[in-house]
Amino acid sequence: VPIENVGERFKNFAHNFDQNRILTGIDSLDKNLILTTGMLVGLLGAPSSAKTSIANNIAENLSKAGLPVLYESLDMGDNLLYTRLLSRYSGYSMEKILGMYKDKAPDQHLLQAYADVMEGFSNVQFNFKNGPLVDDIEKDIIEYRERLGKSPRLVIVDYLEKIRSEFSDQTASSGYVASRLSDISKKYDCCVLTLLQPQKSAGDPSE
């Protein structure tokens, strides 16, 4: 690619920077960290350290700003994810939410939470497939663009180790998958946010 082409792409990127920047909605992060399309970003944390909750917040923030999001929820199924979103909006426990809907008697507060989830994630499309290949995620982006007439600005992958590859070794597989996701972020002009957690063999947090 000649430098002239790179320069023209830069001018277009800078001119549309508001559409190319990924704001997390977390002020302390957004003041100190610039995330843009064309980046592969890792969110690393131990199991049950709220990685998915943070990813949900970022997806919602972009959706409310009118930016399209593709959410590859490879770890959590649709019913569990929606229950968690309802719990965040309503403040109710999972048991209380499921109990109300089991009895077909959600109160007004829960009904409002349901409506808020619908509105907050109106620009998010989900995929709940188990164990996809990177090529499958690329196909999802293409299908998203063909069906909705626009490409996602953010692609969330929850989480990296759930993506299959031809390599049996976990380190080699993760390296290959991360490299391919980086290529995808540039090719389709999106930010790919992938959730990660240390391998158990790495030891506990104190190490």
Side-chain angles (χ1 to χ4, degrees):
V1 179
I3 191 64
E4 292 84 359
N5 292 28
V6 178
E8 288 301 315
R9 284 176 57 84
F10 161 75
K11 287 191 290 187
N12 180 64
F13 173 82
H15 181 70
N16 297 288
F17 188 65
D18 288 344
Q19 295 294 308
N20 290 316
R21 185 172 183 187
I22 307 300
L23 293 172
T24 66
I26 304 169
D27 290 340
S28 58
L29 273 182
D30 292 331
K31 288 177 181 177
N32 295 284
L33 183 67
I34 296 179
L35 304 179
T36 72
T37 55
M39 284 185 175
L40 171 64
V41 182
L43 175 59
L44 174 66
S48 302
S49 59
K51 297 186 297 296
T52 299
S53 295
I54 293 173
N56 292 344
N57 289 344
I58 296 173
E60 180 183 17
N61 190 61
L62 262 67
S63 179
K64 287 182 174 179
L67 299 178
V69 178
L70 173 60
Y71 196 134
E72 301 276 342
S73 183
L74 312 179
D75 187 47
M76 190 174 296
D78 52 355
N79 293 320
L80 181 56
L81 179 65
Y82 204 91
T83 304
R84 287 186 63 170
L85 294 176
L86 283 176
S87 180
R88 181 161 69 86
Y89 272 93
S90 67
Y92 291 166
S93 67
M94 181 178 182
E95 291 79 7
K96 185 171 183 177
I97 291 170
L98 294 176
M100 284 185 175
Y101 274 101
K102 179 183 177 182
D103 296 335
K104 297 183 178 180
D107 62 15
Q108 191 58 44
H109 185 61
L110 186 54
L111 290 173
Q112 183 59 52
Y114 189 97
D116 289 341
V117 172
M118 286 292 183
E119 181 180 357
F121 289 81
S122 60
N123 289 304
V124 183
Q125 297 281 309
F126 293 89
N127 180 7
F128 295 98
K129 293 176 186 174
N130 288 321
L133 298 167
V134 179
D135 290 347
D136 295 324
I137 293 176
E138 184 173 10
K139 289 176 184 176
D140 289 340
I141 295 172
I142 295 170
E143 181 183 342
Y144 188 112
R145 185 170 56 185
E146 291 176 347
R147 188 155 48 90
L148 300 178
K150 53 187 176 182
S151 296
R153 298 283 81 190
L154 175 67
V155 177
I156 296 174
V157 179
D158 186 8
Y159 51 94
L160 182 72
E161 288 79 5
K162 290 291 184 177
I163 301 175
R164 293 184 295 118
S165 80
E166 61 192 52
F167 298 99
S168 58
D169 179 76
Q170 184 63 52
T171 301
S173 178
S174 294
Y176 169 78
V177 169
S179 178
R180 287 282 288 115
L181 289 176
S182 182
D183 288 339
I184 285 173
S185 71
K186 298 179 182 74
K187 182 177 180 180
Y188 296 98
D189 199 25
C190 60
C191 178
V192 177
L193 173 66
T194 179
L195 279 58
L196 305 148
Q197 60 189 34
Q199 295 182 3
K200 292 181 180 179
S201 60
D204 63 34
S206 67
E207 298 174 305

